[in-house]
Amino acid sequence: MSDFHSTRRLPPYVFEQVNKLKAKARAAGADIIDLGMGNPDLAAPKHVLEKLVETVGKPRTDRYSASKGIPGLRRAQAGYYARRFGVKLNPETQVVATLGSKEGFANMAQAITAPGDVVLTPNPSYPIHAFGFLMAGGVVRSVPAEPGPEYFAALERAIQHSIPKPIAVVVCYPSNPTAMVASLDFYKDLVVFAKKHEIFILSDLAYGEVYFDGEPPPSVLQAPGAFDVAVEFTSMSKTFSMAGWRMGFAVGNERLLAALARVKSYLDYGAYTPIQVAAAAALNGPEDCIHEMRATYKRRRDVMVESFAAAGWQIDSPRASMFAWTPVPEKFRHLGSLEFSKLLIEKADVAVAPGIGFGEHGDDYVRLALVENEQRIRQAARGVRRFFETADETLHNVVKLKTA
């Protein structure tokens, strides 16, 4: 049987090849240090766990919940935006709770995309930014991931040469996977551009609280006029180490959020109510846990940059996010990021995310996640050093296999 229409539009999942090799190595007894998936290893805050336990198992909270989020949770998110960004939100019309930011993006795509609609997405970027729209029948056109001078020139070209005209542009800063950060001036220019060309802005701010140096990353909604064109997605996953809880938000433009809420009302009953209550406690509660999370990832970042440099692999120090985005070493670049990632598992007992999984413009890079403690990161660096010491022999064997 041929593939169904939606699955035909999805390429093979690159990360699955790495995952299979990782599982095979572990089954054979290898101690694989997994820097591949951005899956937080830190515990959720104690006061959040206590609120969850307090709320679970009561008839009222075990019933169906509210698809767009219980009122207290939407008020808590509005309060967070007021404190953090100085942005005022109406919790009734400008806040929708989602099952994580990933689900929010996918359902927004379902809500606003007609067959053939064009959406501008960064390349490289987190897969759902493009494939959410592809599954909804849309067409994706790539624009640069870096918020630099070339960005707006590329947007102008995309507007001029796309038929039909794009309906939206996706941005993600701090970026997954590149860790790049955008300024408020960038967002101001983007809002002006979006209003001029009558397109929407969909901003992914999932890593907005994971920053290490300088000013906190801004929200697109801080830019004048942003509410006319923009919706922003955030997540509890990284800020509060609640990835498995699947709790996120979409905030901003009322028209877009009404469409999202309508689609969600047909698809789900919202997150489990105790999870929503606990999420509200997280947003309303003390911020010590956020500072501790940030300090932990900063220590890991510094150890990774230092220890990998000593192993012979220079890694640029990320300003934000829980990832380092680094070029494949020159000696291995001709292999591509996927084959290099496979070699790291086989020869160094280290798993990373191949850059090709984030778009073709990522193939010269790999992504390393700060999801292991400092001791394990140093152990990973030692494995990389041993692998590099035998690199010539390894590459010779790879060439022999390809030409056999």
Side-chain angles (χ1 to χ4, degrees):
M1 294 177 64
S2 61
D3 287 340
F4 298 109
H5 171 71
S6 291
T7 57
R8 276 202 305 269
R9 309 199 76 198
L10 300 177
Y13 194 56
V14 169
F15 304 115
E16 187 60 26
Q17 297 183 50
V18 175
N19 291 340
K20 287 180 179 178
L21 196 60
K22 183 171 60 181
K24 181 179 178 181
R26 282 176 169 162
D31 178 19
I32 301 297
I33 300 172
D34 193 353
L35 307 177
M37 188 176 180
N39 198 6
D41 64 321
L42 306 179
K46 183 179 178 181
H47 68 281
V48 178
L49 295 171
E50 289 173 349
K51 179 59 69 173
L52 176 71
V53 171
E54 174 189 320
T55 316
V56 164
K58 297 180 179 179
R60 184 177 177 184
T61 57
D62 279 348
R63 301 167 70 185
Y64 291 129
S65 193
S67 178
K68 65 181 291 185
I70 60 175
L73 177 58
R74 285 184 277 117
R75 288 194 297 269
Q77 176 69 350
Y80 163 74
Y81 258 75
R83 294 190 306 274
R84 172 69 163 80
F85 304 111
V87 170
K88 184 178 180 180
L89 295 169
N90 182 340
E92 292 300 316
T93 59
Q94 295 176 323
V95 180
V96 172
T98 64
L99 305 180
S101 59
K102 184 176 183 179
E103 177 265 358
F105 252 95
N107 282 342
M108 181 63 81
Q110 292 287 335
I112 69 174
T113 310
D117 276 350
V118 178
V119 176
L120 308 178
T121 62
N123 189 338
S125 191
Y126 188 56
I128 198 63
H129 296 156
F131 295 118
F133 292 96
L134 287 175
M135 286 187 284
V139 176
V140 169
R141 185 182 182 107
S142 295
V143 295
E146 184 175 1
E150 171 59 19
Y151 183 83
F152 287 100
L155 285 191
E156 289 284 1
R157 290 194 298 271
I159 292 288
Q160 292 173 12
H161 299 292
S162 296
I163 300 175
K165 187 188 77 173
I167 64 167
V169 57
V170 175
V171 290
C172 176
Y173 302 109
S175 171
N176 179 9
T178 69
M180 295 172 181
V181 179
S183 67
L184 182 54
D185 284 341
F186 169 83
Y187 285 137
K188 289 177 179 178
D189 291 342
L190 185 61
V191 168
V192 170
F193 179 91
K195 296 182 78 169
K196 173 184 174 182
H197 293 286
E198 297 182 325
I199 64 173
F200 292 115
I201 300 168
L202 303 177
S203 169
D204 186 345
L205 192 61
Y207 296 89
E209 292 294 354
V210 190
Y211 60 91
F212 313 119
D213 307 311
E215 292 295 315
S219 162
V220 68
L221 296 179
Q222 291 175 263
F227 279 89
D228 296 332
V229 291
V231 162
E232 190 157 71
F233 297 84
T234 56
S235 170
M236 310 286 287
S237 296
K238 310 308 189 293
T239 303
F240 296 99
S241 301
M242 294 165 60
W245 299 47
R246 307 315 303 136
M247 195 74 254
F249 301 92
V251 302
N253 180 269
E254 293 184 3
R255 180 184 170 205
L256 289 175
L257 291 179
L260 173 61
R262 185 171 182 183
V263 165
K264 280 178 57 62
S265 70
Y266 281 89
L267 295 177
D268 68 68
Y269 289 105
Y272 183 40
T273 296
I275 287 179
Q276 296 194 49
V277 172
L283 291 168
N284 291 330
E287 296 187 357
D288 296 4
C289 54
I290 300 176
H291 301 312
E292 291 169 8
M293 170 275 296
R294 202 177 289 137
T296 296
Y297 287 132
K298 186 178 188 296
R299 287 194 301 272
R300 293 177 179 184
R301 178 202 66 172
D302 294 343
V303 167
M304 177 178 286
V305 171
E306 177 188 359
S307 61
F308 274 62
W313 191 359
Q314 296 294 327
I315 293 177
D316 290 336
S317 182
R319 290 172 51 199
S321 86
M322 58 191 295
F323 305 113
W325 179 248
T326 188
V328 175
E330 184 67 36
K331 185 178 289 190
F332 301 94
R333 202 161 299 168
H334 66 283
L335 299 175
S337 60
L338 179 57
E339 292 305 316
F340 175 67
S341 298
K342 291 178 180 179
L343 283 178
L344 280 178
I345 293 175
E346 295 172 355
K347 305 297 183 180
D349 291 339
V350 175
V352 300
I356 189 66
F358 303 97
E360 66 271 22
H361 295 301
D363 199 22
D364 287 339
Y365 296 80
V366 293
R367 190 194 73 179
L368 298 87
L370 304 173
V371 292
E372 295 273 8
N373 63 39
E374 292 98 312
Q375 178 182 343
R376 296 279 283 171
I377 290 172
R378 291 191 177 95
Q379 181 181 337
R382 291 193 293 271
V384 166
R385 186 191 66 237
R386 289 193 300 270
F387 168 40
F388 285 178
E389 288 171 350
T390 61
D392 291 338
E393 179 184 349
T394 298
L395 288 172
H396 177 70
N397 291 335
V398 169
V399 171
K400 284 178 63 177
L401 285 173
K402 287 188 173 182
T403 57

